[in-house]
């Protein structure tokens, strides 16, 4: 059977491409708030992701701050200061055109921003707010998925290690005693140690089943 | 055979020392410090290095890379013996030039046999 599994990065990029095409825009970016409170571009269409992935945008001022603080769709034109994005967007925006900044809202806070445009100044953005909010909601799901993926990628190998290390000492000691390295043991002791060894083996199987086989989407 | 073991867990150090000495008939040197492995490999000239991944100061992957990049140590066979056994981690170790990969927990009574299976293509063994 053909392997059709997409990497998480591919899913994100396909989503922003779909949104850009649907809205007949030149650029669509999905910016996610990282642990340091900075916005990072996680997916881009219309701009090279390589160019923008390393950018770190402080959402403390300008249209980003408004979008965050008010959880509102903000329109930004060519004259709006957009920090380090200004230079990159310059070739894509003409006078009188504007970008839409759509809040990607989670249950309790804004998780990021969907950046879409440019649109002509005649284009009415706010009557289509529900559509844009839905696009933002889709990105919120992807944002949560991304977070979970990041967490699993670091937590699972660590958990695997933390469980296997003490088990090595337990199983190793039991194995050496049962293997006769310290002389023969009585039948009762042997029976008890075999029981402990089976318990260790069962735990190892559980680790293999639940942790080692957890394959989050490829990055 | 001289074996250098890089392992930071004191209990596992005891088990490895006992197994490799008694069953493997090896001359075992152990370090818990990652950044000591390359200098010790140059001093002790071991015939085999057993390497954990999670070590203080320098990871097993970094050590393997450094050993393989150094003409003085690049011919020493390296076997990873580690609890980091996710498929991507095994691939990474083999890509760096390790001869083999053994996952913890291991059975002490069959460890020598497992090591010898990995060493077989080189025509060397321990325990004889």
């Amino acid at each position: 059977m053909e392997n059709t599994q997409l990497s998480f990065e591919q899913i994100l990029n396909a989503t922003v491409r779909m949104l850009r095409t649907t809205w007949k825009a030149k650029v669509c970016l999905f910016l996610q708030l990282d642990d340091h409170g900075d916005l990072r571009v996680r997916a881009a269409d219309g701009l090279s992701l390589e160019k923008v992935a390393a950018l770190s945008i402080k959402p403390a001022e300008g249209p980003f701050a408004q979008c965050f603080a008010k959880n509102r769709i903000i329109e930004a034109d060519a004259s709006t200061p957009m920090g380090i994005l200004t230079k990159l967007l310059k070739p894509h925006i003409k006078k009188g055109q504007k970008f839409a900044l759509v809040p990607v809202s989670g249950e309790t806070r804004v998780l990021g921003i969907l950046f879409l445009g440019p649109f002509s100044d005649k284009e009415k953005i706010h009557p289509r707010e529900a559509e844009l909010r839905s696009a933002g909601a889709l990105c919120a799901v992807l944002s949560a998925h991304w977070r979970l993926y990041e967490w699993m990628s670091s937590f699972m190998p660590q958990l695997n290690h933390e469980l296997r290390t003490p088990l090595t000492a337990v199983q190793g000691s039991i194995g050496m005693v049962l293997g006769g390295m310290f002389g023969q043991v009585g039948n009762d002791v042997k029976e008890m140690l075999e029981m402990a060894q089976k318990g260790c083996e069962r735990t190892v199987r559980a680790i293999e089943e639940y942790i080692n086989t957890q394959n989050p989407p490829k990055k | 055979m001289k074996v250098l073991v890089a392992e930071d867990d004191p209990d596992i150090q005891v088990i490895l020392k006992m197994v490799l000495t008694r069953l493997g008939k090896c001359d075992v040197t152990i370090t818990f410090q990652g950044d000591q492995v390359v200098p010790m490999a140059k001093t002790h000239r071991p015939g085999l290095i057993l390497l954990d991944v999670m070590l203080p100061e320098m990871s097993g992957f970094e050590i393997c890379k450094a050993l393989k990049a150094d003409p003085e140590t690049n011919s020493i066979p390296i076997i990873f013996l580690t609890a980091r056994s996710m498929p991507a981690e095994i691939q990474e170790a083999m890509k760096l030039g390790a001869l083999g990969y053994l996952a913890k927990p291991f059975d002490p009574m069959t460890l020598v046999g497992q090591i010898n299976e990995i060493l077989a293509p080189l025509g060397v063994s321990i325990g004889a």
Side-chain angles (χ1 to χ4, degrees):
Chain A
M1 199 171 125
E2 192 190 351
N3 183 8
T4 53
Q5 191 188 9
L6 292 174
S7 73
F8 187 62
E9 198 172 44
Q10 284 172 318
I11 294 169
L12 266 176
N13 281 307
T15 306
V16 294
R17 189 173 307 127
M18 179 193 75
L19 293 172
R20 186 185 70 77
T21 315
T22 309
W23 281 78
K24 296 185 175 64
K26 282 185 186 166
V27 174
C28 182
L29 305 176
F30 168 45
L31 301 106
Q32 187 192 38
L33 207 59
D34 70 11
D35 291 337
H36 308 288
D38 297 336
L39 282 168
R40 309 296 296 255
V41 181
R42 297 299 191 199
D45 198 44
L47 278 181
S48 158
L49 184 59
E50 277 178 17
K51 275 189 187 171
V52 292
L55 298 181
S56 177
I57 300 160
K58 299 269 176 214
E61 50 194 39
F64 298 106
Q66 290 176 44
C67 186
F68 263 90
K70 296 177 182 168
N71 192 8
R72 269 180 46 195
I73 294 171
I74 302 293
E75 294 178 21
D77 61 24
S79 65
T80 310
M82 282 189 279
I84 45 179
L85 271 183
T86 308
K87 199 179 163 189
L88 282 165
L89 293 172
K90 210 173 174 182
H92 300 279
I93 186 165
K94 292 174 191 158
K95 203 176 172 189
Q97 289 185 322
K98 59 194 173 186
F99 276 93
L101 280 73
V102 182
V104 173
S105 308
E107 278 187 29
T108 55
R109 65 188 178 100
V110 179
L111 306 168
I113 288 175
L114 185 63
F115 192 90
L116 197 61
F119 302 109
S120 83
D121 57 348
K122 288 173 192 155
E123 181 109 28
K124 302 287 180 204
I125 301 281
H126 282 284
R128 296 179 71 186
E129 184 166 337
E131 274 178 70
L132 278 171
R133 290 256 177 208
S134 301
L138 176 61
C139 289
V141 173
L142 293 172
S143 180
H145 192 128
W146 178 286
R147 285 280 179 187
L148 182 63
Y149 170 75
E150 291 279 286
W151 177 77
M152 275 181 72
S153 299
S154 60
F155 179 73
M156 287 300 183
Q158 191 61 34
L159 181 64
N160 183 38
H161 178 261
E162 296 303 333
L163 292 172
R164 281 176 183 270
T165 299
L167 265 177
T168 305
V170 176
Q171 205 176 11
S173 310
I174 296 169
M176 285 196 294
V177 176
L178 284 173
M181 274 185 77
F182 310 103
Q184 293 305 308
V185 289
N187 282 342
D188 289 349
V189 176
K190 196 178 167 202
E191 205 176 308
M192 289 297 118
L193 288 175
E194 279 171 350
M195 205 189 295
Q197 194 179 40
K198 273 183 199 158
C200 288
E201 285 164 2
R202 208 169 137 191
T203 311
V204 174
R205 279 199 299 277
I207 293 168
E208 277 164 3
E209 188 177 340
Y210 291 107
I211 299 178
N212 286 37
T213 55
Q214 296 297 309
N215 294 316
K218 290 174 280 172
K219 203 169 185 181
Chain B
M1 184 191 285
K2 281 186 185 176
V3 178
L4 175 60
V5 176
E7 169 61 62
D8 66 333
D9 186 285
D11 296 337
I12 301 172
Q13 281 182 4
V14 171
I15 292 169
L16 283 173
K17 176 115 184 167
M18 214 172 268
V19 169
L20 292 171
T21 309
R22 290 197 192 185
L23 305 179
K25 314 282 181 218
C26 298
D27 175 3
V28 183
T29 306
I30 297 183
T31 179
F32 67 93
Q33 200 79 3
D35 57 358
Q36 290 303 306
V37 179
V38 177
M40 284 176 85
K42 289 183 181 184
T43 316
H44 292 263
R45 316 293 305 165
L48 169 67
I49 296 176
L50 285 183
L51 201 53
D52 193 4
V53 172
M54 300 283 279
L55 291 166
E57 306 303 333
M58 203 172 172
S59 81
F61 294 145
E62 289 169 324
I63 296 164
C64 185
K65 208 172 168 182
L67 288 166
K68 290 297 164 192
D70 193 321
E72 270 190 75
T73 54
N74 65 3
S75 62
I76 305 171
I78 297 168
I79 298 176
F80 275 95
L81 180 59
T82 175
R84 298 299 293 245
S85 56
M86 303 293 274
E89 293 165 328
I90 298 173
Q91 276 174 21
E92 173 75 10
M94 301 312 284
K95 213 167 67 185
L96 290 171
L99 187 63
Y101 201 104
L102 293 170
K104 289 176 187 169
F106 54 86
D107 175 1
M109 304 313 288
T110 60
L111 184 68
V112 169
Q114 285 179 286
I115 290 172
N116 280 339
E117 262 180 47
I118 295 171
L119 290 174
L122 305 181
V124 290
S125 63
I126 58 172

